[in-house]
């Protein structure tokens, strides 16, 4: 398991689409080891910070502990990425025409 932890942490340094897909698969699996999910989520956060955008669809699929890891890391390093996307989400209406917040 320690090798998987190390790999999950190190993959942040290889921000390809294949790596983000693999990290997403593990980080969004609520049945997976919580530490591994958190480490994958941290690596995703690092990649998103470097890219300048958080993938909201992926963030929404993460279990609460993974989402918390991403939000904390992004809030520390690039809080504008969370704020700008939250503002954009607030403009979207639901099926009944109400504005979501």
């Amino acid at each position: 398991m320690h090798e998987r932890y190390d790999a999950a942490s190190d993959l942040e340094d290889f921000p390809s689409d294949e790596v983000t897909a693999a990290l997403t698969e593990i980080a969004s699996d609520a049945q997976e080891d919580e530490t591994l999910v958190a480490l994958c989520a941290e690596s995703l956060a690092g990649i998103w910070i470097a890219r300048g955008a958080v993938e909201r669809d992926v963030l929404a699929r993460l279990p609460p502990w993974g989402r918390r890891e991403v939000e904390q890391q992004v809030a520390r390093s690039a809080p504008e990425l969370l704020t700008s996307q939250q503002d954009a989400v607030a403009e979207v209406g639901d099926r009944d025409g109400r504005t979501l917040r």
Side-chain angles (χ1 to χ4, degrees), residues 19-67:
V19 167
T20 57
L23 289 168
T24 298
E25 182 178 338
I26 295 169
S28 60
D29 184 352
Q31 301 304 311
E32 187 61 77
D33 174 77
E34 286 187 30
T35 301
L36 184 60
V37 167
L39 291 169
C40 288
E42 286 179 18
S43 286
L44 283 171
I47 291 169
W48 294 340
I49 290 165
R51 289 182 176 178
V54 173
E55 293 183 33
R56 289 305 231 175
D57 59 324
V58 173
L59 182 62
R61 293 193 329 243
L62 300 181
W65 59 93
R67 193 173 318 117

Side-chain angles (χ1 to χ4, degrees), residues 53-85:
V54 173
E55 293 183 33
R56 289 305 231 175
D57 59 324
V58 173
L59 182 62
R61 293 193 329 243
L62 300 181
W65 59 93
R67 193 173 318 117
R68 186 172 42 252
E69 291 295 331
V70 169
E71 290 171 345
Q72 288 174 352
Q73 186 169 339
V74 173
R76 279 191 308 270
S77 300
E80 70 279 359
L81 296 181
L82 292 176
T83 304
S84 63
Q85 289 186 342

